[in-house]
Amino acid sequence: MSPNWEALAFDLYQENEEKETVNLDDVTNDSETDSTEEIDARALITTLYSDQRKTKSEEGKGTKSKQEYALLVNDLEKQFVKKKMKNYEKAITVEAKHKRQTQQEMNELQRDMKYQVNEEKADTESKIAMKKDAIQSSDESIQLYEDEQKSLQEKLQKLNEKQQDLAMK
């Protein structure tokens, strides 16, 4: 037993990737307010309490050193970065598929123009312009995701260097 503490509490939160937007009308049922408010994406799941007099400690499993905790935190950061990198990889795949589909639709519109009268051609040209804008938007998104991935790759490299430095101590 440690004289430094008697009871310990852990708050467990669930973090969402995106902030939620809540319509205050739904919550308050007050028709005079018509606003939405962003709430924190962390939701408290539960709080765990422990009393050291009731907590068994295993022999040989004493407190970890600062180095061990630093290595653990570093490992958790690496896992988080790897997960984000996978998410960007998925986003790139989805955006590339959307771009290919839009490109095919645009090509079909261009082929169909050959058999259209002037009024139809004007409408088709407008649709083609929108498809070109969507393709450009997809290209920009893909570039953004790739840039984020490069940044995360650098972060992972730095975390690996930090891990090596911590292990040397």
Side-chain angles (χ1 to χ4, degrees), residues 1-8 50-59 61-63:
M1 292 224 272
S2 169
N4 296 332
W5 62 277
E6 289 181 12
L8 190 62
S50 175
D51 184 334
Q52 74 169 341
R53 294 168 297 190
K54 296 179 181 179
T55 305
K56 293 180 183 175
S57 63
E58 296 180 33
E59 292 300 318
K61 294 237 178 178
T63 58

Side-chain angles (χ1 to χ4, degrees), residues 16-52:
N16 299 326
E17 290 292 322
E18 301 170 7
K19 289 197 179 288
E20 294 181 39
T21 302
V22 175
N23 187 337
L24 292 181
D25 286 346
D26 296 344
V27 178
T28 62
N29 290 330
D30 185 2
S31 59
E32 293 174 14
T33 59
D34 185 28
S35 63
T36 59
E37 182 178 300
E38 225 173 54
I39 60 170
D40 192 4
R42 291 182 353 158
L44 179 64
I45 296 172
T46 189
T47 301
L48 302 175
Y49 298 95
S50 175
D51 184 334
Q52 74 169 341

Side-chain angles (χ1 to χ4, degrees), residues 43-109:
L44 179 64
I45 296 172
T46 189
T47 301
L48 302 175
Y49 298 95
S50 175
D51 184 334
Q52 74 169 341
R53 294 168 297 190
K54 296 179 181 179
T55 305
K56 293 180 183 175
S57 63
E58 296 180 33
E59 292 300 318
K61 294 237 178 178
T63 58
K64 294 182 186 301
S65 68
K66 268 188 173 181
Q67 177 189 21
E68 289 172 312
Y69 281 117
L71 284 166
L72 178 64
V73 168
N74 193 68
D75 191 50
L76 291 172
E77 281 186 79
K78 284 172 51 177
Q79 289 175 25
F80 179 73
V81 167
K82 287 177 183 177
K83 182 180 176 186
K84 281 182 83 171
M85 287 174 69
K86 282 183 184 177
N87 288 342
Y88 278 119
E89 191 62 45
K90 288 178 190 173
I92 288 169
T93 303
V94 168
E95 200 62 51
K97 182 179 178 183
H98 181 258
K99 178 186 168 185
R100 282 192 304 274
Q101 184 178 351
T102 306
Q103 183 71 48
Q104 285 177 332
E105 292 168 2
M106 189 178 80
N107 292 342
E108 288 173 17
L109 287 170

Side-chain angles (χ1 to χ4, degrees), residues 81 152-163:
V81 167
L152 289 170
Q153 187 64 45
E154 289 176 35
K155 177 73 174 169
L156 190 59
Q157 186 177 345
K158 294 294 182 188
L159 288 169
N160 284 332
E161 290 173 17
K162 184 177 180 180
Q163 183 178 3

